[in-house]
Amino acid sequence: MFRLFHAKILGPKLHRLKPMTFQYLFPPFPEYCSLLFETSLRSLSISSYHCDPLLSSLLLTLKSSPSVSCCRVIHAQVVKSLNYRDGFIGDQLISCYLNKGSIPDAQKLFDEMPHKDSVSWNSLVSGFSKRGELGNCLSVFSRMRSEEALELNELTVISVISACASAKARDGGSFLHCCAVKFGMELEVKVVNALINMYGKFGCVDSAFKLFWAMPEQNMVSWNSMVAVWTQNGIPNEAFNYFNMMRVNGLFPDEATMVSLLQACENLHLGRLVEAMHGVIFTCGLNENITILTTLLNLYSKLGKLSVSHKVFAEISKPDKVALTAMLAGYAMHGRGKEAIEFFERSVRDGVEPDHVTFTHLLSACSHSGLVREGKYYFQIMSEVYKVQTQLDHYSCMVDLLGRCGLLNDAHQLIKNMTLEPNSGVWGALLGACRVHRNIGIGKEAAENLIALNPSDPRNYIMLSNIYSAEGLWSDASKVRALMKTKVLTKNPGYSLIEHGNKIHRFVVDDYSHPDSEKIHKKLEETMRRIQEVGFVSETESILHDVDVEVKTDMINKHSEKIALAYGLLVCNAHKPIVIIKNLRICRDCHNTAKFVSLIEKRTIIIRDSKRFHHFSDGLCSCGDYW
């Protein structure tokens, strides 16, 4: 059929057809479309190439070119029939080669071009910049500076600045800043905006600050750049200060503003602030922007408000793959494995093609819910049915799933049979499972591999020490701790956060720094006494020190999440959940404490640790004790 169509119907009229015509005719066969068009080009006469419509068609074809080979076919016809300067087709070919990653072809073509103007040079430097080829980018820039007849413009400088920013090349960035001043571009808005963005990525907020306020007039991009700079560098309060100043100056937020502000909210952990930003989104008419809504639903999920995330998702008229993946990640984070599977299956039925990120979150959801059978099933069909190549994150999820369910030998065997070299995520998942199930043999192997991969990470030493301590092997545990001290490694101190009164209250272990400390500790003692009366027994096994049980009990009762919980019972509305965020994994004793407190206080308690969310209600946890 295709040959008949090609030969008898299109034969004499091929030169009149646009390249996209073939894709419309045969959408299920893109490879044949590409071949058909390439064949068409070969059959064209030289005279037909000098028609303006054909030249436009060639340019259009380059922009949608599916492969380097197609670029070469067009290139060959250009060499035979056209002048490189016609319609900037030489510049377009260079861009096409660079977009497809064929740097040698682009460089060779550029060198062969008889007449190169500023557009030609900028096509090359811009292409290198987009590909992150900093060395080539700087090399071309140096060649441009040596060309006496060539005038450098804003586009040239901005492209190289962007390359330096992406590569975080501080020396190169400083050099470009000096060049901008030398060329008299230090007050050009676009150049200064690029420099602000670059210094923000370098972490040089002072330099970005000075450039911003030295500008004669800031535009929307300037303000957005500064909001992003403060957010990227962990200074969210300043991001909101600049947002307020921007509003005072009569500018309304756009997509870039809101995405940066929502990311800043993630560092502040203030739920009421997120709700306020949600209101701003509606006020500014951005409530149909899919990028903003995706960022918003992801943020609500991280704050423990999964139901609100679902409402935001429902407001997206046509959710894309990013939005669908964000919602799936929310289910995974909250341990809603079955809901995640239902959501995944529904999305696939609606025509969504899952990728490696989708399966990472799906397998993570299975892992957080202990769904071994389901996890194995999706791990298998991922490559067999959906042709998604298995990556390290997928193996990490499966090792975590198998290991935490007690199938340590299966997890260990999976690592041995991996087609990829195991990374710290894979070995870390196995080591964590060995810690839970007290398997010294496999745990030691996992720890040794982790330490070999990353000898500067204190968590690996601590985990191995804890495995030895749990088995009463105090001498071995001491040796690991001593090794850690010789390397001058210290673990991150644990802390817990809770929101009240439009601010975040931070607690550490045995914390008495809060103004209401006396009331808090009195409430904690009272709560612990009440849950003990209904059957709670402290799990002192998580205190891995060679001391008496009474001392262990006292130590474990002063964990930061318990203090934060007592404070929440004192100040939080009885009809709203108590939400606590912890930077480390919650221990078993604190996990059981939260279950008992939710029962006797008739309260919903939500704790987010470094791995997942735990929803406690009526004496049960959403994780099903799959800790």
Side-chain angles (χ1 to χ4, degrees):
M1 174 185 171
F2 295 132
R3 291 190 180 94
L4 180 65
F5 184 88
H6 187 183
K8 294 189 175 181
I9 300 176
L10 294 183
K13 301 181 180 180
L14 272 171
H15 67 282
R16 299 180 187 175
L17 289 177
K18 295 182 178 180
M20 294 302 292
T21 304
F22 301 106
Q23 294 178 25
Y24 289 125
L25 288 169
F26 303 115
F29 304 98
E31 294 178 357
Y32 183 80
C33 296
S34 175
L35 177 62
L36 183 58
F37 184 68
E38 289 178 25
T39 307
S40 306
L41 286 176
R42 294 189 184 96
S43 68
L44 288 172
S45 64
I46 293 177
S47 60
S48 66
Y49 262 89
H50 296 288
C51 302
D52 288 341
L54 181 60
L55 181 58
S56 300
S57 181
L58 279 172
L59 292 170
L60 179 62
T61 308
L62 278 173
K63 290 182 180 179
S64 59
S65 177
S67 63
V68 173
S69 60
C70 187
C71 291
R72 288 173 180 156
V73 170
I74 299 171
H75 186 180
Q77 294 297 328
V78 170
V79 170
K80 288 172 61 178
S81 313
L82 294 174
N83 188 304
Y84 278 125
R85 296 182 59 82
D86 288 343
F88 304 109
I89 193 149
D91 305 330
Q92 295 291 329
L93 276 167
I94 289 171
S95 297
C96 183
Y97 278 133
L98 288 174
N99 289 337
K100 297 294 179 292
S102 183
I103 294 174
D105 283 322
Q107 189 71 64
K108 185 177 180 181
L109 169 58
F110 180 81
D111 293 336
E112 291 175 351
M113 287 175 63
H115 304 291
K116 294 185 273 285
D117 56 14
S118 59
V119 176
S120 307
W121 285 92
N122 282 332
S123 295
L124 189 63
V125 74
S126 177
F128 282 139
S129 177
K130 290 176 182 177
R131 299 251 345 143
E133 295 283 340
L134 178 60
N136 286 326
C137 201
L138 289 172
S139 176
V140 176
F141 179 71
S142 297
R143 289 174 61 187
M144 292 178 72
R145 291 180 67 206
S146 65
E147 293 279 341
E148 294 182 2
L150 195 63
E151 183 179 351
L152 294 170
N153 56 27
E154 291 179 21
L155 180 59
T156 313
V157 176
I158 290 171
S159 293
V160 187
I161 290 173
S162 298
C164 291
S166 299
K168 295 187 177 180
R170 294 199 179 199
D171 291 342
S174 299
F175 167 71
L176 262 296
H177 190 175
C178 293
C179 288
V181 174
K182 181 180 178 180
F183 301 149
M185 299 180 184
E186 69 273 19
L187 297 180
E188 295 289 345
V189 176
K190 292 181 180 179
V191 174
V192 178
N193 288 340
L195 286 169
I196 289 172
N197 175 64
M198 179 190 76
Y199 280 120
K201 289 185 176 179
F202 291 168
C204 303
V205 292
D206 290 339
S207 298
F209 175 88
K210 291 174 182 177
L211 281 168
F212 178 82
W213 289 111
M215 296 175 74
E217 185 177 354
Q218 299 91 357
N219 62 10
M220 188 69 184
V221 177
S222 310
W223 286 100
N224 283 343
S225 296
M226 282 307 297
V227 171
V229 165
W230 296 118
T231 300
Q232 291 166 2
N233 289 278
I235 314 174
N237 290 323
E238 280 300 306
F240 282 96
N241 286 338
Y242 273 71
F243 168 65
N244 292 329
M245 285 190 283
M246 186 178 80
R247 294 295 302 272
V248 170
N249 280 271
L251 296 172
F252 283 86
D254 60 10
E255 177 184 313
T257 321
M258 291 311 307
V259 169
S260 291
L261 289 174
L262 291 173
Q263 290 171 346
C265 288
E266 187 174 337
N267 291 328
L268 290 170
H269 307 290
L270 284 168
R272 295 187 69 176
L273 180 60
V274 178
E275 292 170 359
M277 286 297 102
H278 197 165
V280 172
I281 290 169
F282 270 92
T283 304
C284 296
L286 298 170
N287 52 300
E288 293 186 1
N289 185 298
I290 190 168
T291 302
I292 292 175
L293 291 181
T294 300
T295 307
L296 184 63
L297 76 86
N298 185 50
L299 181 55
Y300 273 127
S301 179
K302 289 182 177 179
L303 290 172
K305 301 182 178 182
L306 186 61
S307 59
V308 184
S309 291
H310 196 273
K311 290 179 181 178
V312 174
F313 179 81
E315 293 172 4
I316 302 175
S317 56
K318 294 181 179 180
D320 59 8
K321 187 181 291 187
V322 178
L324 290 161
T325 302
M327 196 64 237
L328 185 62
Y331 285 124
M333 195 187 308
H334 287 263
R336 304 289 182 86
K338 292 183 178 179
E339 292 176 53
I341 290 173
E342 291 174 4
F343 182 81
F344 171 82
E345 293 292 350
R346 187 164 61 249
S347 300
V348 170
R349 286 196 299 270
D350 291 340
V352 176
E353 294 184 7
D355 57 15
H356 69 281
V357 179
T358 312
F359 276 103
T360 297
H361 292 305
L362 180 62
L363 293 174
S364 176
C366 293
S367 173
H368 287 166
S369 303
L371 302 175
V372 177
R373 181 175 60 83
E374 293 85 347
K376 286 182 176 180
Y377 169 72
Y378 286 111
F379 184 73
Q380 180 180 352
I381 69 169
M382 177 177 63
S383 56
E384 292 181 358
V385 177
Y386 296 100
K387 308 304 178 184
V388 174
Q389 188 175 1
T390 309
Q391 299 189 12
L392 287 168
D393 286 342
H394 305 138
Y395 281 113
S396 179
C397 290
M398 286 305 297
V399 170
D400 187 67
L401 170 59
L402 296 170
R404 287 193 176 275
C405 284
L407 303 173
L408 288 171
N409 290 328
D410 291 350
H412 192 208
Q413 191 62 40
L414 177 63
I415 294 176
K416 288 183 176 180
N417 295 333
M418 281 176 58
T419 55
L420 303 171
E421 190 67 27
N423 64 355
S424 57
V426 174
W427 286 115
L430 183 62
L431 181 59
C434 291
R435 162 74 180 86
V436 173
H437 297 286
R438 298 182 175 181
N439 190 310
I440 296 177
I442 298 178
K444 186 177 179 182
E445 179 188 345
E448 288 172 350
N449 280 283
L450 275 169
I451 291 171
L453 286 168
N454 193 356
S456 61
D457 190 342
R459 294 174 299 179
N460 304 329
Y461 299 87
I462 294 168
M463 190 75 78
L464 180 59
S465 173
N466 289 346
I467 290 175
Y468 285 137
S469 299
E471 293 300 309
L473 302 173
W474 305 112
S475 176
D476 292 326
S478 297
K479 289 178 183 178
V480 176
R481 295 274 179 173
L483 178 62
M484 182 177 164
K485 288 181 180 179
T486 60
K487 293 180 177 290
V488 197
L489 303 176
T490 57
K491 71 172 185 176
N492 295 326
Y495 62 81
S496 296
L497 308 174
I498 184 169
E499 179 183 356
H500 176 67
N502 292 332
K503 64 180 293 188
I504 292 293
H505 301 262
R506 185 176 185 273
F507 297 97
V508 296
V509 64
D510 199 18
D511 198 332
Y512 284 88
S513 62
H514 197 278
D516 296 324
S517 283
E518 186 176 341
K519 292 180 181 179
I520 295 171
H521 282 272
K522 184 178 179 180
K523 180 65 176 177
L524 178 57
E525 291 173 6
E526 174 195 328
T527 303
M528 295 304 297
R529 185 175 63 254
R530 288 182 61 196
I531 63 175
Q532 286 168 359
E533 290 173 355
V534 295
F536 173 79
V537 178
S538 296
E539 289 199 21
T540 56
E541 294 176 348
S542 58
I543 298 295
L544 301 173
H545 296 282
D546 192 11
V547 294
D548 294 336
V549 175
E550 292 78 8
V551 177
K552 287 186 177 183
T553 302
D554 184 61
M555 291 171 66
I556 205 168
N557 285 345
K558 294 176 180 177
H559 280 188
S560 63
E561 53 266 59
K562 288 190 176 75
I563 300 173
L565 178 55
Y567 179 70
L569 292 171
L570 284 173
V571 302
C572 293
N573 189 311
H575 301 292
K576 292 185 177 181
I578 298 172
V579 182
I580 298 169
I581 297 174
K582 183 176 173 61
N583 68 321
L584 304 177
R585 284 284 277 156
I586 185 173
C587 73
R588 281 192 183 276
D589 187 76
C590 289
H591 188 271
N592 288 337
T593 298
K595 287 201 305 182
F596 273 86
V597 172
S598 72
L599 178 64
I600 66 168
E601 295 285 351
K602 305 300 180 185
R603 300 289 298 268
T604 297
I605 302 165
I606 301 173
I607 299 179
R608 188 187 97 185
D609 66 11
S610 61
K611 288 286 186 180
R612 58 172 299 161
F613 274 93
H614 299 265
H615 296 250
F616 302 93
S617 181
D618 296 326
L620 301 173
C621 178
S622 60
C623 74
D625 289 341
Y626 181 65
W627 179 84

